[in-house]
Amino acid sequence: MATFKLLLLPGDGIGPEVMAEVETVISHLERTGLASFAIERDLVGGAAYDAHGKAISEEAMRTAQAADAVLFGAVGGPKWAGVPYDARPEAGLLRLRKELGLFANLRPAICYPALADASALKRELVEGLDLMIVRELTGGVYFGEPKEIVTLETGEKRAVDTQLYTTGEIDRIARVAFDLARARGNKVSSAEKHNVMKTGVLWKEVVTKVHADYQDVALEHILADNCAMQLVRAPKQFDVIVCDNLFGDILSDVAAMLTGSLGMLPSASLGAPDPETGKRKSLYEPVHGSAPDIAGQGLANPIAMIGSLAMALRYSFGLGEAADRLEAAIKSALAGGVRTRDIAGPGANAVSTKDMGAAIVRALENG
Ligand code: NAD
C-alpha cells in the first residue's frame, strides 16, 4: 500500500478541534488498511505568529512543498487584530496558495436530504443538490496591475483594479473543470460577462477551444449574473460551474447558502500537474473561518473539515472509493439524526464536535 505524505495545519480557533476529528477518521482509515499516511503537523496563522512572529514558518513551507497534500483548518481571531499586516494570520494561507501555485479552487455544494430544510431555499429545489464551482484563484481583478488609488489634480480620488486574464490561465482552469465534469455529471457551465467585458470575450473563446478536447462533455456558456439568478431559481440544473476569481468568489458563496450551514462545506485548491509525475500540489480546507465565538467549546461542526479529507482522498491520493465511503458515512450519520448545534435547529438536541466525529467513524465501520 502506498504511503501518502500529509501535512496537517490546524491553525486557530475551531481549527484544532475540527482537525482532531480528521485525525480520528485517518486512524480509522489506517486501521482498516484503506490507506497509509505519513503525517506531519505544524502551525499556521495566529498560532504560528505567537510561536515564530510570522503566519507560517519557513520550515512549515518546506514541509508543505514536499507534501502530497496539505489539510488546513482555519486561521484568525480577535487576538491577532493588531499584528503587522504582513504577519496577519491570513498571510499564512495566502502564502501557501501563492507558493504552491494553487490556481484552481474547487467548492462543492452538496445538500444532504436530511438537511434540506436548513437551506434558504425550498426543500424541493435543493434536496439532492450536488454541484461543483471551479474558481480561478490566482488571477483576475484581485491581482491585476495597476491596482491603486490615485489623487487627481482636481483633488478627487480615482481607484483602479485591473481585470486581466491570459489564454494560458483560462485554458488550465477550463481543463480542470472538464476533467472534473467527466467524473461527475458530464456538464460544464462557463460563467462570464462577454457582453460587457473583454476578459469575458477571451474566456468564452478559450473555453470553447478547450472543449474541442472534451467533446463528450456538454458545455454551456452562461452570463455570470444569469448564473447567480439560476443558482437560486433552479440550482439542480448545474453540474460543474467554471468562472474567474471575482465571479467565483460570489457564486460560490451563493451556492454555499443553498446547502444550509457553513460548517458543512469543504474545498480544495489545486496546482498544475507536475510534468514528470502528473501529481498536483494541493490544499484542502473547510470554507468556514476560525469561528472565535464558539472556539474551545466543543460546538463546532467537523463535517466541512472531514469532507475536505474526503476531497484529498479523491483528488490527491486517487482513493475515490475511500472518498465515496467517507462521504456516505457523513450522509449516514446525518440521516441517523446526529446534529451539531449549527444544523440542529432551534430547541433540538445537539451533539459535540467529538460526538459528530465518532458518529461518522461508526458509520464508516458499519458501512
Ligand atoms: P466564520 O466562518 O469563522 O464564522 C461565521 C459564523 O459561522 C460564526 O457564527 C461561527 O460560529 C459559525 N461557524 C463557522 N464554522 C462553523 C462550524 N464548523 N461549526 C459551527 N458553526 C460554525 O467567519 P467569521 O466569523 O467572519 O470570521 C472569524 C475569523 O475567521 C476571522 O478572524 C476571519 O478573518 C477568519 N476567517 C478565516 C478563514 C480561513 O481560515 N480560511 C475564512 C474565513 C474567515
Side-chain angles (χ1 to χ4, degrees), residues 10 14-23 73-74 286 288 300-303 305-306 353:
I14 62 169
E17 295 168 57
V18 292
M19 191 66 87
E21 298 318 305
V22 158
E23 295 223 38
H288 62 73
N301 185 345
I303 290 180
M305 190 74 245
I306 294 174
T353 311

Side-chain angles (χ1 to χ4, degrees), residues 258-342:
L258 305 176
T259 69
S261 167
L262 260 182
M264 306 286 301
L265 296 166
S267 77
S269 300
L270 308 178
D274 182 286
E276 276 168 30
T277 63
K279 280 188 185 173
R280 294 174 185 273
K281 296 262 192 289
S282 57
L283 180 145
Y284 299 85
E285 58 176 323
V287 166
H288 62 73
S290 59
D293 53 333
I294 58 166
Q297 301 173 46
L299 295 174
N301 185 345
I303 290 180
M305 190 74 245
I306 294 174
S308 301
L309 171 66
M311 291 188 86
L313 295 175
R314 176 169 291 118
Y315 298 120
S316 285
F317 305 146
L319 296 171
E321 208 174 304
D324 288 345
R325 285 183 57 182
L326 182 50
E327 283 164 358
I330 294 172
K331 202 169 173 178
S332 152
L334 291 170
V338 184
R339 302 277 188 276
T340 41
R341 196 181 66 169
D342 55 312

Side-chain angles (χ1 to χ4, degrees), residues 39-306:
I39 294 186
E40 306 229 34
R41 299 169 185 81
D42 216 318
L43 303 173
V44 71
Y49 178 77
D50 289 346
H52 309 296
K54 55 202 316 198
I56 187 159
S57 68
E58 299 310 313
E59 196 190 335
M61 281 307 302
R62 273 194 297 276
T63 317
Q65 289 284 5
D68 292 315
V70 178
L71 275 188
F72 183 99
V75 291
K79 182 179 173 196
W80 300 283
V83 306
Y85 186 78
D86 287 345
R88 73 200 190 284
E90 292 76 10
L93 179 57
L94 295 178
R95 182 166 176 204
L96 281 160
R97 282 182 182 160
K98 184 162 177 232
E99 293 186 18
L100 299 182
L102 306 175
F103 69 88
N105 185 228
L106 278 47
R107 275 184 51 174
I110 296 168
C111 184
Y112 297 96
L115 292 180
D117 291 325
S119 167
L121 298 192
K122 292 190 203 103
R123 170 178 276 274
E124 61 269 26
L125 290 183
V126 292
E127 190 170 359
L129 173 77
D130 181 357
L131 65 82
M132 174 80 81
I133 299 203
V134 177
R135 165 186 172 193
E136 200 290 324
L137 200 59
T138 51
V141 74
Y142 293 166
F143 297 99
E145 295 285 347
K147 187 177 199 61
E148 60 189 8
I149 300 177
V150 290
T151 305
L152 305 177
E153 276 173 13
T154 56
E156 205 184 9
K157 286 186 176 177
R158 187 181 64 191
V160 183
D161 293 292
T162 304
Q163 165 82 339
L164 190 153
Y165 273 107
T166 61
T167 46
E169 285 173 312
I170 304 169
D171 183 289
R172 65 182 184 173
I173 193 78
R175 286 181 193 280
V176 171
F178 283 119
D179 283 336
L180 276 170
R182 270 189 177 155
R184 296 173 42 96
N186 236 16
K187 180 180 170 193
V188 169
S189 305
S190 170
E192 33 66 17
K193 293 275 291 174
H194 70 268
N195 54 339
V196 285
M197 296 171 77
K198 288 293 179 196
T199 45
V201 173
L202 187 65
W203 187 277
K204 188 175 178 195
E205 191 182 303
V206 176
V207 171
T208 305
K209 211 164 168 188
V210 173
H211 183 225
D213 294 341
Y214 295 86
Q215 287 294 316
D216 51 314
V217 181
L219 168 66
E220 72 166 350
H221 299 283
I222 183 167
L223 293 175
D225 48 345
N226 184 28
C227 186
M229 214 156 63
Q230 296 300 328
L231 270 175
V232 292
R233 193 188 71 84
K236 283 192 263 183
Q237 69 183 282
F238 293 111
D239 176 29
V240 174
I241 298 173
V242 62
C243 46
D244 73 12
N245 204 343
L246 173 64
F247 294 141
D249 195 359
I250 296 164
L251 294 176
S252 59
D253 274 10
V254 173
M257 281 324 293
L258 305 176
T259 69
S261 167
L262 260 182
M264 306 286 301
L265 296 166
S267 77
S269 300
L270 308 178
D274 182 286
E276 276 168 30
T277 63
K279 280 188 185 173
R280 294 174 185 273
K281 296 262 192 289
S282 57
L283 180 145
Y284 299 85
E285 58 176 323
V287 166
H288 62 73
S290 59
D293 53 333
I294 58 166
Q297 301 173 46
L299 295 174
N301 185 345
I303 290 180
M305 190 74 245
I306 294 174

